[in-house]
Amino acid sequence: MATKKENTKKAEKKAPQHIALVKNDPYLEPYEDAIRGRHDHALWKISQLTNNGKKSLTDFASGHFYFGLHKLNRGWVFREWAPNATDIYLIGDFNNWTEDEHYRCKRIEGTGNWELRLKEKDLKHGQLYKMKVKWDGGEGERIPAWCRRVVQDDQTKIFSAQVWNPAQPYVWKKNSFKPKKSPLLIYECHIGMAQDAEKVGSYTEFKDNVLPRVAKAGYNAIQIMAIQEHPYYGSFGYHVSSFFAPSSRFGTPEELKALIDEAHRLGIAVIMDIVHSHAVKNEVEGLGNLAGDPNQFFYPGERHEHPAWDSLCFDYGKDEVIHFLLSNCRYWLGEFHFDGFRFDGVTSMLYYSHGLGEAFTGYGDYFNGHEDDNAICYLTMANKLIHEENPDAITIAEEVSGMPGLAAKFEDGGFGFDYRMAMNVPDYWIKTIKELKDEDWKPSSIFWEVKNRRADEKTISYCESHDQALVGDKTIIFRLIDADMYWHFKKGDENEVVHRGIALHKMIRLVTASTINGGYLNFMGNEFGHPEWIDFPREGNGWSYKYARRQWNLVDNHDLCYHWLGDFDREMLRVIKSERNFNRTKIQEIWHNDGDQILAYMRGDLVFVFNFSPTRSFADYGFLVPTGSYEVVLNTDAKEFGGNGLADDTVTHFTNYDPLYVKDHKEWLKLYIPARSAVVLRKN
């Protein structure tokens, strides 16, 4: 007869083991069935799309090789998915934009696909074209959904697809590249506004003028916005019309490839800000009504339109839509050698409500039946595909609700993103600057917030991104200094407001960047305190480019204060990178005192000490640290960074013996810490 102990062991063997996501966070136990359900749904869908595993997701995501316009060894082939169409013609400057039987597509029997085969002489590189689509009860000119090149006429402002088959295809100089991720230091940027001139910048100008700055500043990745073609420049690239076409505003596909190639030569990864959360409503330029069925790509009924973004919501439950979007991911990785994606608007995808008006105060808010399981499945498959295509690829989720498991491994029950944006951090800094007096800043609160994340998910921390730089909002430097930036930012003419702003700008960045568990992000220009917001040309500002640019001349002018901030940012990143495997080092709190406004912590051999007090400096302030000697490697108060230079940073600091802590191998490190400053020391 089996003993009670043996029966218990048998029961334990039969009982299902907790999925790893739940094992890592016991508070998720009540929702384990929902987590398993999502995981199983993705497994089922992957099996369906891969013919029970007989092919890979990569094989499935190959629509860009089939659809669209392609040059063959002899002639051309054009294909489009348009199940509701009754007739499709290619029209263009090759046939005077008229319906021509020679350019009439044929429906492929038993499918919703259309095909046209042409001779080599029928199309030439650079020619413009569209589809003339007919359906029961209507017709219209359309840009093909899978086209790879779209251009806008300077006079008429009309968009057209363009035949693109250059005589000399781009030849990659660097075919293999592996991003550096420990830590990942991201420079968020926009090609068009990345120059001093009041105009739209180009891929080539960015390659020649901005990439060297990024490399010199110490960042190892750029995150490029607005790559996918969008009709309205002022949308910042978030109202996409042609998902496979790199924006022609900035140049040619070959020029984009040259930019990425040069970034890789400089050791810089290139992450694309990809928009799969919604699409522009436009019908002629976009997918809004490709062939008389407004729901071909998008959800029907109440879920068709995004109530806040004036855009259309993809139907992630349709295999053809999944095929389109997954192929889009693979296309940008393969054709342009992007190193990964930052997925925009993930919160909007996850919930029927798009997350609008929801507080998300408890775990139950993530599992109460208002989640879009189709979108969750799509995001999971996208991550699997991307890492199947390139195991070193980087995926980042822009997500504000805090959905658990977003950046956890798929095998553990997660979505499979490598990182999630730490969107709580910039919100915290804005709230702190706006609502608290300097003497009320609490180090304990700051330390808690910059480390507020799930233990099993890596994040990208940041003080501010492009969101905080847009017109109507304020960057950190402008919240701190405001109009005095225009009148007192010349060296020797700084007032107390400027001194305060420069000091806190550096401290805020240092405490945020030094507590990361994955990566750090900065929007271009913010590192040196760019003084103006971003406002793209629009009717309300007279279509001006004045604020759709970056004034690099300010940081280059050493008579002004900007370079102090830029120089500090560079040195801050250098110090962080100097600690081997920085992400893997534990953040060990040494001390905090909210009354003194002092915070100290260690990572590896680095000691970070902050004095947030606006008025109180401390002499011989003591901390218990590992026994040894310490050298100053960075000081926000150094004169070369616009500080007062009150401490002698050339001094080697030796710890002081205390018999009480001999067993702990710790002694007292005593420092002079000026008001409103921070110092980083390295243990020898």
Side-chain angles (χ1 to χ4, degrees), residues 209-395:
N209 303 328
V210 181
L211 277 179
R213 291 181 180 273
V214 177
K216 185 179 178 182
Y219 291 87
N220 56 29
I222 55 174
Q223 180 179 297
I224 311 182
M225 310 167 66
I227 290 296
Q228 295 167 293
E229 192 60 84
H230 46 291
Y232 179 45
Y233 187 49
S235 75
F236 227 143
Y238 291 120
H239 274 192
V240 175
S241 53
S242 295
F243 286 78
F244 289 83
S247 181
S248 59
R249 282 185 185 87
F250 313 134
T252 67
E254 286 67 39
E255 288 165 343
L256 173 57
K257 290 175 182 179
L259 184 164
I260 295 170
D261 212 0
E262 176 64 9
H264 288 168
R265 187 189 71 80
L266 293 170
I268 298 170
V270 186
I271 301 166
M272 177 177 164
D273 199 344
I274 199 167
V275 183
H276 283 179
S277 47
H278 61 136
V280 73
K281 280 184 174 180
N282 299 37
E283 295 187 356
V284 175
E285 296 90 359
L287 308 176
N289 186 12
L290 194 73
D293 178 9
N295 301 324
Q296 180 179 333
F297 284 92
F298 308 105
Y299 278 124
E302 293 182 357
R303 300 183 61 195
H304 187 69
E305 294 188 17
H306 195 293
W309 294 348
D310 191 35
S311 54
L312 303 176
C313 302
F314 282 110
D315 184 346
Y316 306 103
K318 274 188 179 179
D319 288 355
E320 294 88 350
V321 173
I322 293 173
H323 185 231
F324 180 81
L325 296 175
L326 289 181
S327 298
N328 194 236
C329 294
R330 187 181 171 198
Y331 165 75
W332 291 109
L333 290 173
E335 183 68 22
F336 288 91
H337 294 197
F338 277 99
D339 299 296
F341 305 100
R342 178 261 203 187
F343 278 75
D344 176 69
V346 170
T347 305
S348 175
M349 299 171 70
L350 295 180
Y351 306 99
Y352 296 142
S353 66
H354 305 293
L356 300 173
E358 299 209 38
F360 300 101
T361 56
Y363 276 7
D365 295 334
Y366 306 116
F367 304 99
N368 63 9
H370 72 329
E371 303 83 33
D372 186 343
D373 288 339
N374 293 331
I376 290 172
C377 183
Y378 165 69
L379 289 168
T380 304
M381 289 192 294
N383 277 292
K384 280 194 69 67
L385 164 76
I386 291 163
H387 293 106
E388 186 178 289
E389 177 78 1
N390 179 5
D392 295 316
I394 298 160
T395 58

Side-chain angles (χ1 to χ4, degrees), residues 17 182 307 408 416 423 469 526 588 608 638-639:
Q17 296 295 308
S182 186
M423 301 185 75
N526 284 356
Q588 299 174 297
F608 299 84
K639 286 188 175 181

Side-chain angles (χ1 to χ4, degrees), residues 63 145 290 444 470 484 610:
L290 194 73
S444 60
L470 289 168
D484 283 306
F610 294 80

Side-chain angles (χ1 to χ4, degrees), residues 17-47:
Q17 296 295 308
H18 284 307
I19 200 164
L21 184 62
V22 176
K23 192 175 182 181
N24 293 336
D25 183 356
Y27 287 103
L28 285 172
E29 283 188 21
Y31 314 104
E32 183 162 12
D33 287 346
I35 293 168
R36 285 187 183 276
R38 292 174 183 176
H39 184 76
D40 291 344
H41 180 202
L43 287 174
W44 167 79
K45 195 66 183 178
I46 291 169
S47 178

